[in-house]
Structures are given as C-alpha cells and as structure tokens.
Amino acid sequence: MSTLYRGGFVYSPLDPFANAMVVDDATGTIAWIGGDDAAAVHVDAVDAVVELDGALITPAFVDAHAHTSQTGASLRGVDLGSTRSLAEALSRVEDAVRAHQGRPVFAHGWDQERWAEGRPHTGAELDRASYGGVVYSPRIDGHSAVISSALAAASGARDLPGWEGEGLVTRDAHHAAREAFTTAVTPAQRQADIDLALRTAAAAGIGLVHENGGRVLSGTDDFAEVLAAGERGDGPQTIGYWAQLVEDDAQARDAALVRGARGLAGDLNIDGSIGSRTAHLHDAYADAPGQRGNAYLTVEQVRDHVAACSLAGLQAGFHVIGDAGVATAVEGFEAAAALVGTSTVLRGRHRLEHLEMITREQIERLVRLGVSASVQPAFDAAWGGPGGMYAARLGADRVQGTHPMNPFASMLAAGMTVALGSDSPVTPFAPWEAVRACVSHHEESQRISARSAFLAHTRGGWRAAGFDDRGYLDLGLPATFAVWGVGDLVVQAPDDRIQTWSTDPRSGTPGLPDLSAGAPLPVCQRTVVRGRTVFDSGALAA
C-alpha cells in the first residue's frame, strides 16, 4: 500500500519547493518527495491519492514535556483556568460534585492573580462546595494545590512539611495529597485519561510526547501505560523520563530498566515554580519579602545523579526554574564532569526542564557539557511582560534586566539544543501557539525566527531525546507528519529591530504559515505517525 499526497506544500530540507509526497504505508516510511509535475508519474503506481488543495505538510510536532494522564484528567475535570472569581470557581466545583455524584473531583488550573479576591480558595470553601467530598485542586503550575478536608485526612498532609494551612499544600504535603488522589483513580479511568490526552495531542499535530513521570507525579503503573500507549500505533509515540534520584550507575540502570525510561530526568525537581513562590531564588520574592522558595536538591545530589546516569549511559535531568536553582544545576553538572570526565558527561546528552532564570554565562557552561534545554514558550506568553505574573513575583529588573527570563535566543546563539513543549496540563497542546510565542517573546532581545522555533518544536524534540535522524521529512525516514490548512506561506527574516516576512520563493527556504500577531493559526487536518493516520478532521479529499 502507498499514498500520494499532492497539490499542496511539503516542508522538507530535500526540496524547498516540494508540493507532493509519497508514503509507503506498508513500511511507514517516506518513499518520494518532489513537485506536482513529477508526482504525475506516481499516480498509477500508488493505491490512494490525497488532494491537499493548498494544505501544508510538515514534520509532526514533538511536545518535549507533558504529563499525559494528568492532561486527560484535566480535560474531563473542572477547569478553573478561565474563572475570574472565587465564587465562580467554587460554583464550578459544586456543579462537578453533583455531576460526579460524590466521586472525587479534579479542579485544576486556578491562578489567584486572575481572581477578583486575589487569594486562593481554602479547604473549608472546597468542603462546602463539595458537601464534604474529596477535591484535589492544583494551581495552574502544578507546584501547589488546595485540598479538601477529606483529602487532607486521607493523605496525612496536615502532618507533613508544606502544609501551609487552610488547605493550601506545597512540597511533601502536596506530593502526599496528589499521590493519595491519583491512587484512588481506577485503572480503567486512568487508561481513558491517557487515551484522551494522546488523542488531543494527535489532533494538535503532535507525533511524539515526552512523558514526565515519577512516583509522586503519576505512579509506576501510569508511566508504564503511557509508554505502552505510545507503541500501539493509534496515536503519538511516547518517550518516558522518570523522576528518580540515584547515587550510582547500578541504581541508575536498575531504575531505568524497571520503569522503561529513556532517562532519569524530567520533573526531578531542584526547585518549584515562580507562581507558587517555590522556585529557588538568590534574592527574596518581590511580593513576599523573606521568601526565597524551596531548594529540593543540593549540588552534591545533582553531581552524583548526573555522574551515575552518565556512567550508565542514560540521560539525566532535572526540573529547574529559579536563579539559585539554576546555579545548583550548573555547579552539579560541572562537579559530575570533574568526577567522571567531561567526555562521559557529554555522551549522556543530558537535559534540563524549564531553565527560566539562566544567564548567558551559565548557558555557555552547560553547552560545554552537551546539556539541552526543554522549554515552554507559553509560559512567557502567559506570565511574561511588564504587567505579568513574573514581574509581580520577581520585580521588573529580574524579568527584563541584564539576564531576561526564558532566554531562547541566547540559548540558540550559544549552540544549545532547544526543545519546545507545553508542560500540559499547565498549558495546552498548542504547538503553533508555542512557535508564535517564540516569535513574539515579551523580551525583544530573546525573540527568535519562526523557522528556528519550528525546528526546536520538531527536530529539537527528537534531538533532546538523543535522536539526530528524526523530526524532518526525507526519503526513507518514518512518515510522521501533519497536514495543515493554512493561508499564505512566508519566510521570516529577523534582524536586530524587527521581524519581517517574505513570500519570495527565491529565498530557497521552505515557507511557514504567517505567525504575525492577529494572523489565523494553521488548522490540523490530519496527523500520521509512522505511516498510520492517528487523526483525521475529514477535510482532505481522497
């Protein structure tokens, strides 16, 4: 079986003017890429012809940081992200409790900065809204939550570090509450959540998801089921990172073998988040004098973990956001290199998640050790800028000063491998919005071209997982791609002051959709993974 796609545009380094592509459905690989005129000779040889009608074929996106089952739970749960007051949020919780007939409720995505009252809800308020039921209500960043009294009792959260009072939990108390809540989810419901999340990713043109799991994040069964789902062939592929700290290479090998993880990385937390004031800072939060966040790991722990994974041939990595947390990470990586050798660390192709408050000098130090960055442009879009949450928490100088946050341009300029992701359910699967967020970064000096951002969201995601021969369309490669309904295709040319756009084909660069402010975003019409269609909107004519 084979399929010819023709009459559109194909984003491929093989031919910047390609309009057509042949997929060998039996092997799941790309058999041919070229122009429409040359495609005519393939019509009689293929089994099916798909008329693109001007649509664009690109490599499928890679989401380099996601929490799959939690994404599914959020899609079926109570979305508090769009609420503008406590009363509205609590009303949604009460409606959900009635609809769920007393079953546990996942009420996620709240941000007190968006509420008129300017404060989180309380456990007592959840108790009243749920009639004494079990409610787990994580903040939008996932690093704090408000829990009902029933969940507090079931998890023992009141007796653990991080019980902030009135149902607000961070640190160990939050981990215990989350673990107690997820443990109560039935296997059937968990599988349904995983399937829903991966269907949603496929509908967004995503062909590979990097799952970030761990004992306090999702559990071993959950992690195994996400990896198994990625191998079924009816959705995106999955690669897993397991958050388990180790001290030697034997521990590292055993942990990865048991979990099926590509690395012991992901949300292995050095610190927390800025929104929850748990990211570890050198200086106090501007809106909470005296608070500098949480340091979960030491330089020595980072060193031993990186050294162990390097010797075991595994990727190591950590979640890190605050500037003090980043200093811990950089010093730990360098200490590991001193312990086992720079070349050994380089072979590990290690990674860091988020990496929001990092200096150019620290970037260069990490590049020398081959460390990649898994970043979330939607964070800057949502919380960056002079009036954003970051400025409120940190002060304008730390957000836009000498070392601006989320420095994507500085990372790429230094030669760092950058991969883009959503951290779903923190932000949704929306890859073109992420590319646009890079182009429109709040800090002008950190804006990058649409092409650079697109490559980071496709090939960069594969490279961050250790694969250099994936994430683009070429002969013999897996047919993992998405088809997009688009307007005009343009080539973006950045300079020091502006972002300009050209439709001149003489540039010899494959065009991308216009991602300037106000332009409509592409619409996914089909997603194909290794030759198998995993999403189809019905828009394509065959």
Side-chain angles (χ1 to χ4, degrees):
M1 294 287 291
S2 57
T3 302
L4 168 65
Y5 292 81
R6 68 179 182 182
F9 304 92
V10 179
Y11 192 95
S12 169
L14 185 65
D15 181 354
F17 309 113
N19 305 109
M21 182 171 77
V22 173
V23 173
D24 183 335
D25 302 317
T27 62
T29 59
I30 297 169
W32 177 83
I33 294 173
D36 275 336
D37 290 344
V41 303
H42 293 279
V43 171
D44 292 334
V46 299
D47 300 284
V49 176
V50 175
E51 304 294 347
L52 292 171
D53 193 24
L56 170 67
I57 294 179
T58 71
F61 284 103
V62 177
D63 194 302
H65 190 115
H67 305 278
T68 306
S69 68
Q70 291 178 33
T71 297
S74 71
L75 291 169
R76 68 172 172 83
V78 184
D79 179 13
L80 302 184
S82 60
T83 58
R84 292 296 176 263
S85 70
L86 276 170
E88 183 183 2
L90 293 169
S91 176
R92 290 191 186 183
V93 171
E94 185 172 2
D95 290 344
V97 168
R98 289 173 175 167
H100 287 74
Q101 298 180 334
R103 293 192 299 275
V105 169
F106 184 74
H108 65 96
W110 57 270
D111 182 351
Q112 70 269 37
E113 308 300 327
R114 298 175 182 172
W115 287 346
E117 297 83 355
R119 67 167 178 85
H121 40 327
T122 66
E125 288 168 333
L126 287 181
D127 292 343
R128 288 192 291 271
S130 67
Y131 306 97
V134 172
V135 183
Y136 172 59
S137 184
R139 193 182 183 278
I140 188 170
D141 54 31
H143 286 267
S144 61
V146 177
I147 60 176
S148 65
S149 296
L151 183 55
S155 63
R158 287 190 180 92
D159 300 322
L160 297 173
W163 175 261
E164 309 292 346
E166 298 190 312
L168 181 64
V169 289
T170 62
R171 302 173 60 193
D172 294 353
H174 181 210
H175 298 162
R178 177 168 54 196
E179 188 172 5
F181 186 85
T182 56
T183 299
V185 176
T186 66
Q189 183 61 69
R190 184 173 62 238
Q191 188 64 61
D193 288 343
I194 292 168
D195 292 346
L196 174 58
L198 292 178
R199 287 197 303 272
T200 303
I206 293 169
L208 173 66
V209 173
H210 293 196
E211 167 68 5
N212 287 248
R215 185 183 63 80
V216 300
L217 290 167
S218 54
T220 55
D221 290 343
D222 182 301
F223 189 71
E225 288 160 9
V226 171
L227 298 188
E231 291 302 314
R232 287 198 313 247
D234 59 354
Q237 294 177 260
T238 54
I239 287 174
Y241 291 95
W242 183 254
Q244 181 175 335
L245 194 69
V246 295
E247 296 179 348
D248 59 54
D249 53 321
Q251 285 184 357
R253 291 188 188 95
D254 289 345
L257 181 64
V258 170
R259 312 302 177 207
R262 183 152 189 85
L264 301 179
D267 276 335
L268 182 53
N269 292 351
I270 287 176
D271 65 353
S273 72
I274 292 168
S276 291
R277 299 189 187 90
T278 52
H280 190 206
L281 306 179
H282 287 304
D283 299 312
Y285 283 87
D287 62 352
Q291 292 188 32
R292 296 195 299 117
N294 300 332
Y296 299 134
L297 298 177
T298 65
V299 170
E300 291 74 22
Q301 287 174 306
V302 171
R303 175 200 65 199
D304 293 346
H305 182 78
V306 172
C309 290
S310 298
L311 291 170
L314 295 167
Q315 284 186 288
F318 304 90
H319 158 119
V320 61
I321 287 179
D323 52 5
V326 170
T328 296
V330 175
E331 291 169 23
F333 270 96
E334 290 179 334
L339 191 64
V340 300
T342 298
S343 61
T344 302
V345 172
L346 278 166
R347 284 196 297 271
R349 301 184 67 163
H350 306 305
R351 55 188 284 166
L352 288 170
E353 311 298 313
H354 313 309
L355 210 58
E356 293 195 77
M357 297 180 71
I358 186 169
T359 68
R360 287 182 175 86
E361 184 263 345
Q362 288 172 323
I363 292 170
E364 292 168 357
R365 290 161 67 185
L366 290 175
V367 168
R368 287 195 286 271
L369 297 175
V371 179
S372 61
S374 167
V375 302
Q376 295 71 42
F379 289 7
D380 177 74
W383 302 310
M389 181 271 289
Y390 289 155
R393 290 284 188 273
L394 304 173
D397 288 346
R398 278 190 284 185
V399 174
Q400 299 176 287
T402 306
H403 305 297
M405 290 186 62
N406 295 296
F408 308 144
S410 296
M411 291 174 178
L412 289 172
M416 178 174 267
T417 293
V418 176
L420 307 188
S422 63
D423 201 3
S424 182
V426 176
T427 67
F429 292 129
W432 285 114
E433 291 184 20
V435 174
R436 175 180 275 173
C438 291
V439 172
S440 306
H441 197 294
H442 280 100
E443 175 59 42
E444 189 172 343
S445 68
Q446 295 305 319
R447 292 174 183 169
I448 61 177
S449 70
R451 180 173 183 271
S452 294
F454 177 78
L455 292 175
H457 218 340
T458 50
R459 197 166 186 177
W462 284 101
R463 283 178 169 168
F467 297 90
D468 293 325
D469 59 347
R470 296 290 186 271
Y472 60 102
L473 304 180
D474 205 342
L475 304 186
L477 291 184
T480 297
F481 61 92
V483 182
W484 305 92
V486 294
D488 290 336
L489 300 183
V490 294
V491 176
Q492 184 190 28
D495 67 19
D496 292 338
R497 304 177 308 280
I498 59 172
Q499 305 288 346
T500 58
W501 301 82
S502 170
T503 56
D504 189 343
R506 292 173 297 179
S507 67
T509 301
L512 286 170
D514 182 357
L515 298 175
S516 55
L521 290 171
V523 176
C524 188
Q525 297 179 341
R526 179 176 293 182
T527 305
V528 177
V529 175
R530 293 182 288 187
R532 298 181 65 172
T533 298
V534 299
F535 169 76
D536 195 327
S537 71
L540 294 173

